[in-house]
Amino acid sequence: MVATPWFAGLATGSPLITTWFKAMGAKVGRGVWCESYWLPEADLVELGDGATVNQGSVVQTHLFHDRLLATDAVRLRRGATLGPNSVVLPAATLGKHATVGPVSLVMRGESVPDKTRWIGNPIGPWAE
């Protein structure tokens, strides 16, 4: 959060932000679009080739439960998209080319299947 005012806030949506996340320990594939700096524990984040993290989204890798801190990895597989202002909680995975719509919540430990679309809080199937 110290870097946000002078760097991260300005670098979102550019190759600089993904380079910064790599330096912080994140696994970031080729062609990742990241328009958010909210990856609290970058070393627990995996963004596959072509993954998209839209503006205002949070890739949350920690939760407190009964006053105990629990951390776990979050994975966005190749081509996965996390919609604007959405949140994905620890131990969750977005499958290859899966889409989570805007203002949605992926609950702890959920696995979004490959090539599917989800939306809501918590997420459910995105009907046509």
Side-chain angles (χ1 to χ4, degrees):
M1 295 313 305
V2 174
T4 301
W6 59 271
F7 174 72
L10 301 171
T12 56
S14 77
L16 289 175
I17 197 80
T18 55
T19 301
W20 184 51
F21 287 140
K22 286 179 186 179
M24 301 278 285
K27 294 180 180 108
V28 180
R30 296 175 51 126
V32 168
W33 175 262
C34 190
E35 205 170 351
S36 177
Y37 52 82
W38 287 101
L39 280 71
E41 291 86 22
D43 59 326
L44 293 175
V45 174
E46 181 182 323
L47 303 174
D49 293 344
T52 300
V53 178
N54 278 287
Q55 187 175 22
S57 294
V58 179
V59 180
Q60 188 71 35
T61 52
H62 71 273
L63 286 176
F64 285 92
H65 183 74
D66 291 335
R67 295 176 291 172
L68 294 175
L69 174 66
T71 61
D72 211 328
V74 173
R75 293 174 181 85
L76 276 71
R77 301 287 188 211
R78 181 172 27 98
T81 299
L82 183 61
N85 301 307
S86 292
V87 177
V88 59
L89 295 179
T93 300
L94 274 63
K96 293 177 184 174
H97 304 286
T99 299
V100 172
V103 195
S104 297
L105 174 65
V106 181
M107 298 295 286
R108 177 179 178 81
E110 282 191 320
S111 184
V112 176
D114 295 350
K115 298 180 182 177
T116 57
R117 297 173 4 133
W118 299 77
I119 194 166
N121 185 353
I123 58 169
W126 191 343
E128 292 295 324

